Amino acid sequence: MHLISPELLFVISIVAGFIGAMSGMGGGVVLIPALTLLGLDIKHAIAISIVSVIATSSGAASAYVRDGVTNLKVGMFLEMFTILGAIVGATVTLASGDQGLFIAFGVVLLFSAATLFLRPHDTGYLHRQDGVSRWLELHGSYYDHAAGETIQYRGRLSYVGGPMMFGAGFIAGLLGIGAGALKVLILDLAMGLPAKVSTTTSNLIIGVTALAGTSIYLVAGLIDPGIAAPVILGVVAGAFVGTRMLKRLTNTHVRRFFLVVLLIVGIEMLLRGFKVI
Amino acid sequence: MTGLQNKATQPANTVPSGADAGQQIPQQEHVMELLIGYLLLAGVLASVTLLIIGLVWQKIITGHFALNYLISGMNLFQFVVSDFRTLLGDASFGPRIFVNLGIAALLLTPFIRVVASVFFFALAERNWKYTLFTLFVASVLTYSLFLR
């Protein structure tokens, strides 16, 4: 049972969804620390967060998929790895102590802060494909409105990307977050896909991965509908606004703001993990 | 076709093997993109609508939005079945049923997307590789959501 008012949960979730959409990292990175600060234990916070991740991912993916930028085959190949990772990750969470989860969360946030400044490669997407990636049909094209041209690409190193996605799924299931930054990193840097394809395909994968993690938390009895309902509504509303605001802000402003947010929250979670605060 | 033309056709710098090959495959993939896109959208909208109905109803009858109950360790199948039993005549019909169904709709959204993909790859594209891949994902999710 919980004592946090639904109104407060709704407002916090709007902020989390808003920041999550603007940063591209999902609402969990803000939602989980906020819920734990309000007195919810971290495992319940993780379980609630991962349900809300399904909502934001599905909402965003519905638009991206219809626009034709998402590569469905890349997504569906990699989902095989992420769902297994999420199930293992969620199972580990159930068996873990709270302090370990706080530390893991802090480390992932600080790592995410570093990835904000990794620049995606923006040229040369027609890689020489390895046999496995060719067999998996990991190629495609999309029309880039900003560049005014059709971008063609071929994915590579799928035999590396797949197992790495198990790790991304593990972190998603373990910590109840989308782990979008990590997934985009794998799609972009390892598999050589264009940034837009990486981001939108990652979004598609996140929903199914979160569902796999949720299945474990549901059976464990950690999904509290009284908390989940206002959180889902708030995160969806916040993400809806955040996605539209994103178009008005420059990348530099967004990145600076989120660097500060991630550093503060990451260090705060680490300190709580080590029982300094 | 929208401005963002679809794609995932054949490797760049290659030529389709026949006149139909270049047309048919992109059209099929675009149908799949629309199907998946609208499925996801419908699922999220249904979930949000049910949750709002449940919370507003709770507010009307109790004066507050708070719902204090736990789903005690059941899989999604048991969860949905218990909801429909309540919906079909149980005396405890009330705001909870809408909140529960809203959460169930959300959880079923990506699952239905995966199941739809299996049928699409098997029946429309006849792509055995991706039929197997999506079938694997659907099987793991079915086990963890409904059987575990």
Side-chain angles (χ1 to χ4, degrees):
Chain A
M1 287 299 142
H2 60 93
L3 298 169
I4 314 168
S5 80
E7 290 86 348
L8 182 59
L9 285 169
F10 181 66
V11 172
I12 287 169
S13 304
I14 288 177
V15 176
F18 179 77
I19 293 177
M22 297 257 289
S23 65
M25 290 176 183
V29 293
V30 176
L31 186 64
I32 294 170
L35 290 177
T36 55
L37 280 174
L38 290 170
L40 198 67
D41 81 85
I42 191 164
K43 288 181 187 175
H44 273 95
I46 286 171
I48 296 297
S49 170
I50 204 163
V51 176
S52 76
V53 167
I54 299 174
T56 48
S57 158
S58 300
S62 71
Y64 293 142
V65 170
R66 281 179 286 141
D67 279 349
V69 185
T70 308
N71 190 312
L72 295 177
K73 283 180 179 164
V74 170
M76 288 171 186
F77 166 66
L78 295 174
E79 278 169 6
M80 292 193 292
F81 299 90
T82 61
I83 57 165
L84 294 178
I87 288 170
V88 175
T91 307
V92 170
T93 292
L94 295 181
S96 300
D98 287 359
Q99 303 312 121
L101 294 171
F102 275 112
I103 293 167
F105 204 95
V107 169
V108 168
L109 287 185
L110 295 181
F111 174 78
S112 301
T115 64
L116 280 177
F117 291 89
L118 282 176
R119 290 186 62 82
H121 75 290
D122 53 5
T123 53
Y125 302 124
L126 285 172
H127 305 288
R128 186 181 174 81
Q129 266 187 322
D130 52 90
V132 178
S133 303
R134 197 180 310 119
W135 182 75
L136 290 168
E137 306 164 30
L138 303 185
H139 50 255
S141 63
Y142 69 96
Y143 185 77
D144 190 318
H145 282 293
E149 60 180 334
T150 298
I151 309 290
Q152 295 184 311
Y153 58 89
R154 294 193 202 108
R156 64 181 178 198
L157 299 178
S158 50
Y159 52 88
V160 175
M164 287 174 86
M165 277 291 178
F166 177 89
F170 176 83
I171 289 172
L174 182 82
L175 302 176
I177 57 176
L182 196 53
K183 290 187 176 91
V184 169
L185 211 61
I186 295 166
L187 289 164
D188 184 339
L189 297 183
M191 296 180 67
L193 300 176
K196 283 186 182 171
V197 178
S198 299
T199 310
T200 55
T201 305
S202 159
N203 215 295
L204 181 77
I205 301 170
I206 284 172
V208 169
T209 309
L211 179 64
T214 300
S215 69
I216 305 296
Y217 294 119
L218 183 69
V219 174
L222 288 174
I223 311 286
D224 182 338
I227 301 177
V231 166
I232 291 167
L233 292 176
V235 167
V236 168
F240 184 81
V241 177
T243 308
R244 276 141 194 84
M245 281 281 290
L246 187 59
K247 293 171 184 167
R248 297 183 197 168
L249 296 170
T250 66
N251 268 347
T252 314
H253 286 128
V254 174
R255 286 176 191 208
R256 278 186 193 152
F257 174 70
F258 293 116
L259 178 69
V260 173
V261 172
L262 288 172
L263 285 177
I264 292 172
V265 180
I267 291 168
E268 188 259 344
M269 293 296 269
L270 275 179
L271 293 176
R272 288 169 74 186
F274 289 113
K275 292 191 172 178
V276 177
I277 56 173
Chain B
M1 194 79 86
T2 60
L4 289 168
Q5 296 280 321
N6 192 29
K7 76 7 97 110
T9 53
Q10 59 281 325
N13 304 338
T14 63
V15 178
S17 55
D20 288 343
Q23 294 293 322
Q24 202 174 358
I25 295 173
Q27 277 180 3
Q28 281 185 349
E29 293 242 358
H30 189 55
V31 168
M32 185 168 188
E33 286 168 344
L34 290 177
L35 174 75
I36 288 177
Y38 284 117
L39 263 176
L40 293 174
L41 185 63
V44 174
L45 288 178
S47 169
V48 166
T49 306
L50 289 163
L51 291 175
I52 290 173
I53 292 172
L55 288 179
V56 169
W57 190 0
Q58 172 75 1
K59 173 80 174 172
I60 290 169
I61 62 173
T62 65
H64 55 76
F65 290 111
L67 284 158
N68 283 316
Y69 67 101
L70 289 170
I71 303 166
S72 55
M74 54 176 85
N75 66 34
L76 186 59
F77 177 73
Q78 294 161 328
F79 183 49
V80 172
V81 166
S82 69
D83 288 348
F84 276 103
R85 276 191 187 145
T86 307
L87 201 60
L88 295 171
D90 193 287
S92 62
F93 179 74
R96 279 188 190 188
I97 188 73
F98 284 95
V99 171
N100 283 355
L101 286 175
I103 293 171
L106 185 63
L107 301 190
L108 284 171
T109 298
F111 179 76
I112 292 171
R113 189 269 280 176
V114 172
V115 173
S117 306
V118 174
F119 283 106
F120 191 90
F121 280 122
L123 303 176
E125 284 222 342
R126 297 184 188 278
N127 184 328
W128 63 268
K129 265 179 285 189
Y130 279 87
T131 303
L132 281 179
F133 293 164
T134 46
L135 195 59
F136 172 79
V137 174
S139 305
V140 172
L141 289 176
T142 302
Y143 175 75
S144 62
L145 282 169
F146 299 106
L147 305 175
R148 199 168 166 274

